[in-house]
Structure formats: C-alpha cells, structure tokens
Amino acid sequence: MSDNSKTIEYYLDKPYWVIDILPKQVPAKGKGQYFAVEKHLLTSPHVERIYQKFADLLLNLNCYDNIVVSHPDDDEWTENPAPEVLEQMILERKPLNIVLTQAQAMISITGDDHYITVYNPDEESLNLLIALAYAEGLHVWKP
C-alpha cells in the first residue's frame, strides 16, 4: 500500500454500500425533518454513540480480515493497528480509509457523518458487514 492515492482512487470507482443509522436513503423531497434530525444526532452525546458503534463494528471486522488504515492527509498506512489505537482514531472522528486486505474492499469514514461507506465488498464480506452492522443496530444499504 505504498501509493495510497492510487489505492483510494481505485476503490472510489467501485460499487459502494452505506452503513448507516437509517435503514434506507431519505428521499430528496421527504416529508420528515431529516436535516434537523441529522444536525441533532451529530451533537454530543449522540454522535459518540454512533461512532462507538462504528468502532465496535470495525474491531469485530478486523477479527475476520487484516486491515490497513490511513488518514487521508497521511502517506503512511498502518497494518492491523492495535485495537485501542483503531478505536481511538474512530472515536476522535478522524477521517480514515480502511482497506480489508483479503476482501479487497475499502471503508471510508469522513469523521463528520452518521454513516460510513464501503467500496467494492465481495459477497462474503458484504454479508459479514450486514451481520456486524445489524448487531450494532446499524443498517447496510446501496444508494
């Protein structure tokens, strides 16, 4: 993973799914108050709970596949960071790119949203992500 921009660009062109607190995409002309609810959920303590769910999901996922992690402003990739280090990066809401090495999928966390994006998961890794997300009260859907 020496050239992270090439690696990241490769994944960004692939099909993707969203792991979200909502079960499906909110319609553009929805009748609810999506933006007000989103703004509320991205404040403490709600956002901490959401990001703890993301951390727990990714820690569990790391039991099944090796990962390499990079901050978008960093040229370094860290293979299988210590669980407490990975959890801290997620809870600090740092933007991260996480590549699942065997599944050849990438997870992107922006640090300021209530969802994460999964690029190029194969069927097996997608099914695992769905099960892990469900266990955390999260949902996986394709935009």
Side-chain angles (χ1 to χ4, degrees):
M1 297 284 166
S2 59
D3 181 4
N4 79 10
S5 61
K6 181 178 178 185
T7 302
I8 293 167
E9 287 177 13
Y10 168 81
Y11 287 108
L12 295 178
D13 289 335
K14 300 295 182 187
Y16 66 94
W17 281 256
V18 173
I19 299 175
D20 196 351
I21 59 173
L22 298 172
K24 64 181 184 175
Q25 190 167 5
V26 175
K29 297 184 187 236
K31 296 177 182 177
Q33 51 179 340
Y34 171 75
F35 293 108
V37 171
E38 179 185 48
K39 183 178 178 181
H40 175 71
L41 290 176
L42 291 175
T43 62
S44 295
H46 308 289
V47 73
E48 284 86 5
R49 285 195 303 265
I50 293 168
Y51 274 77
Q52 185 64 61
K53 290 179 181 199
F54 293 165
D56 292 345
L57 181 149
L58 292 168
L59 288 169
N60 287 323
L61 184 62
N62 195 201
C63 294
Y64 296 92
D65 199 343
N66 290 321
I67 63 172
V68 288
V69 181
S70 176
H71 185 281
D73 296 334
D74 191 355
D75 289 333
E76 297 295 320
W77 289 83
T78 304
E79 185 172 357
N80 290 324
E84 58 276 6
V85 171
L86 178 61
E87 180 178 46
Q88 190 61 38
M89 286 190 289
I90 295 166
L91 294 179
E92 288 175 357
R93 296 175 42 201
K94 292 184 177 186
L96 299 172
N97 294 307
I98 301 167
V99 174
L100 308 175
T101 60
Q102 292 171 314
Q104 288 298 299
M106 183 179 81
I107 297 172
S108 177
I109 302 174
T110 64
D112 59 359
D113 286 316
H114 58 74
Y115 63 88
I116 55 180
T117 308
V118 182
Y119 297 91
N120 199 46
D122 60 18
E123 184 177 353
E124 183 179 348
S125 60
L126 181 60
N127 288 335
L128 178 58
L129 282 166
I130 290 169
L132 294 172
Y134 180 78
E136 295 298 331
L138 299 168
H139 308 277
V140 178
W141 48 269
K142 187 164 177 43

